[in-house]
Amino acid sequence: MNDRDSGAAPVAVLDVGKTNVKLSAVAADGTLVETISVPNRVLPGPPWRHHDLTRLGGWVFETLAVLSRRHGLAAVVAAGHGSGGVLTGADPDVGDGAALPMIDYEQPLPPDIRDGYSPLAGTFLDRGSATMHGATHQARQLYWMEEREPDAFGKARWYLGLPQYWAWRLSGVAASEASFLGAQSHLWNVAERRFSPIVSARGWERLMPPFSKAWQTLGWIRPELVRRFGLPAEMRVLTGGHDSSLNHYRYHAAGLRDFTVISTGTWIVGFSRSTPIERLDEHRGMTLNSDVFGNRLGGILTMGGREFSHIAGSNPPTDDAPIEVLGRLVAQRTIAAPSFGDDDGLFPGSAGRGRILGPAAETAMERKALALLYCALLTVECIEALSADRLVVLDGSFLRDPLYAGVVAALLPERQVRFNLDAYGVAAGAALLAGHETREKPAPLALSESIDLARLNPDLSRYAANWRAVARAMRGNRDKFENTEGNLHG
């Protein structure tokens, strides 16, 4: 039996992010072998700002052929952010397969589309989240397309989430998938495992293909792509899924159960299977997601990376922030109060009201340490909102500085806080799907413990309590906030 037959051959993972697209060769155990990336180009309208799927398609097929020749890839699977989908025709070889251009979710909505969609969106369980900024949410994008381009919309055959669009382009087989539709699409009620009312109300059932599991083989590379690009005919194409849900699956495949995972980057994203539905508060960034098995995941998200940049500045030091600098900020009660961006995050009413209280963080390193401290406090708030899981796993870009995980662990002494320094959790989780049905033992996973900040813990705990009081005061009126600020620093 050769490697391909035994399931030991590498897997190609296409990870479609908002800004960049990565195509990686990943070993069967989830270890990254090689990655090639390209910007996810956006074009202006008409009819709206949209992604350049034609150019991206050529890059995907050509790069997949290159990686396959280098690594003997057995399968290909796509992951994608939850705010993108493509309305397609019936034939993936007609142009880029799209019936209408793929909407860039960060653009503002026309007022009539925004106002017309709002009463159709359903309950929190139908949506899975608050209604977010710009053109976020696939249901809202479908509504926009149908309202503005009814003729083209009426001729469309499928509506496919990003991973399933690329699976369709590669295999010719259309599929729906639970983790992607369960990522704030506003199309899928995760709790009840049914489409949201807007789907039947608008007659969109005809656009929704049958469901497949994320790990399911839809088919093989289409002969046309084999002929044109030299892709291997024997490469199987998997359904794929939502990027953060695949990162969560990575830990499930490693044998973890009853855990909370927090991934950091532009967004701080948290998931737990144990979050009760009644605990979810859409006004505090909480969501109802789906894992790859169709089970509900309590979620929470806040734009921690953007907040970090507001506090640390555009070019923070690359060296690790010293504990002594953290201790000085804590002792003098320099507090970054939320929120610095145009999103409320975890604290309703706080958008645009972020400020630094107490003595200033004057040096670049002090500003970086303050930003890390602020993001660690946001993380603790996320964890405590989500669940009482004893095991907490941290991953993502904030882990580059040990101070972040150290503060989180110090403020959660009753929990087991571990972190994963690998920077390719989505790619690993996606690749592990290929062995889901044949895996006989847990996938390898190395988790580390944080630095010990026990000597700072009493001061940190008091500081965290003060920070929480300020942050929650931001939810009230400005007079209440100013009174709180005076009490802390008077």
Side-chain angles (χ1 to χ4, degrees):
M1 180 180 289
N2 60 34
D3 281 350
R4 189 176 297 264
D5 292 334
S6 68
V11 175
V13 175
L14 176 64
D15 183 2
V16 184
K18 174 62 177 65
T19 306
N20 296 294
V21 178
K22 294 179 283 189
L23 190 58
S24 304
V26 186
D29 66 357
T31 304
L32 187 69
V33 178
E34 182 181 0
T35 295
I36 303 173
S37 65
V38 69
N40 196 355
R41 187 180 181 212
V42 173
L43 302 175
W48 40 68
R49 205 164 70 215
H50 57 276
H51 289 278
D52 189 352
L53 295 177
T54 300
R55 176 178 290 191
L56 184 57
W59 179 86
V60 167
F61 302 142
E62 291 166 3
T63 307
L64 184 58
V66 169
L67 288 178
S68 183
R69 288 192 292 271
R70 288 178 186 165
H71 303 291
L73 303 172
V76 56
V77 57
H81 66 83
S83 295
V86 184
L87 187 71
T88 79
D91 187 348
D93 281 325
V94 176
D96 57 17
L100 283 167
M102 176 189 163
I103 292 174
D104 169 15
Y105 79 85
E106 288 195 302
Q107 65 191 297
L109 281 173
D112 64 311
I113 299 299
R114 182 192 62 230
D115 297 341
Y117 175 78
S118 183
L120 304 174
T123 68
F124 170 70
L125 293 183
D126 293 325
R127 291 179 278 105
S129 75
T131 300
M132 298 166 69
H133 67 286
T136 306
H137 312 301
Q138 297 170 60
R140 193 158 52 172
Q141 294 167 19
L142 274 172
Y143 176 74
W144 189 358
M145 288 188 275
E146 186 174 31
E147 290 292 302
R148 286 292 189 271
E149 301 288 342
D151 291 342
F153 192 94
K155 296 173 184 175
R157 181 63 189 93
W158 301 117
Y159 181 73
L160 303 174
L162 270 178
Q164 290 72 54
Y165 164 75
W166 289 106
W168 176 71
R169 293 285 307 274
L170 288 162
S171 71
V173 180
S176 297
E177 191 274 327
S179 73
F180 200 82
L181 284 175
Q184 298 88 57
S185 71
H186 289 196
L187 293 167
W188 185 248
N189 185 313
V190 173
E192 299 176 15
R193 300 194 182 201
R194 59 165 175 80
F195 282 110
S196 301
I198 193 173
V199 174
S200 59
R202 303 290 296 190
W204 294 344
E205 298 100 323
R206 68 178 184 85
L207 299 172
M208 305 298 166
F211 276 79
S212 294
K213 300 295 187 185
W215 59 83
Q216 188 171 330
T217 298
L218 295 180
W220 309 92
I221 298 291
R222 293 189 296 112
E224 176 65 13
L225 298 180
V226 173
R227 182 185 65 79
R228 288 179 58 197
F229 297 96
L231 292 172
E234 67 274 20
M235 181 184 290
R236 59 194 179 103
V237 181
L238 309 187
T239 307
H242 177 229
D243 50 13
S244 295
S245 300
L246 294 182
N247 186 61
H248 182 271
Y249 171 76
R250 179 205 196 166
Y251 297 106
H252 179 93
L256 301 190
R257 301 293 184 269
D258 302 322
F259 64 97
T260 295
V261 61
I262 300 285
S263 299
T264 61
T266 301
W267 292 88
I268 297 173
V269 181
F271 280 152
S272 172
R273 287 187 61 177
S274 66
T275 310
I277 285 181
E278 57 271 19
R279 181 182 287 191
L280 299 176
D281 182 353
E282 63 177 301
H283 304 295
R284 297 198 65 217
M286 301 191 77
T287 63
L288 182 59
N289 286 66
S290 170
D291 66 13
V292 297
F293 306 104
N295 301 314
R296 66 175 187 256
L297 283 174
I300 194 164
L301 56 125
T302 186
M303 294 192 82
R306 298 277 173 90
E307 297 279 280
F308 179 94
S309 296
H310 277 291
I311 300 168
S314 58
N315 191 29
T318 56
D319 293 343
D320 293 345
I323 295 176
E324 293 74 20
V325 174
L326 171 70
R328 185 162 63 248
L329 293 170
V330 168
Q332 70 190 25
R333 291 188 293 183
T334 298
I335 290 179
S339 291
F340 292 85
D342 57 3
D343 185 78
D344 284 340
L346 307 180
F347 301 101
S350 68
R353 297 176 65 184
R355 64 186 70 185
I356 308 300
L357 308 178
E362 296 180 344
T363 68
M365 185 58 79
E366 285 181 340
R367 290 191 292 273
K368 177 182 179 180
L370 182 63
L372 285 167
L373 176 56
Y374 175 85
C375 290
L377 289 162
L378 283 181
T379 299
V380 171
E381 195 79 7
C382 288
I383 293 166
E384 292 185 332
L386 270 179
S387 77
D389 294 330
R390 186 166 187 273
L391 175 61
V392 175
V393 180
L394 309 175
D395 65 28
S397 60
F398 290 175
L399 274 301
R400 294 171 189 158
D401 194 304
L403 203 65
Y404 165 77
V407 172
V408 174
L411 293 175
L412 296 171
E414 303 304 315
R415 310 229 194 182
Q416 186 181 44
V417 178
R418 299 291 182 263
F419 64 90
N420 180 7
L421 286 174
D422 292 342
Y424 49 87
V426 173
L432 288 168
L433 288 174
H436 176 79
E437 294 178 314
T438 57
R439 187 175 299 112
E440 296 179 351
K441 59 182 180 179
L445 175 67
L447 296 180
S448 305
E449 296 188 35
S450 63
I451 59 173
D452 184 6
L453 294 179
R455 64 185 175 85
L456 279 178
N457 194 48
D459 288 339
L460 264 178
S461 295
R462 286 192 292 271
Y463 180 96
N466 289 342
W467 178 86
R468 187 173 289 113
V470 170
R472 291 181 177 174
M474 301 294 277
R475 300 171 63 178
N477 58 50
R478 187 170 296 275
D479 290 341
K480 180 180 176 183
F481 164 72
E482 290 173 349
N483 289 338
T484 303
E485 180 183 359
N487 291 336
L488 291 174
H489 295 95

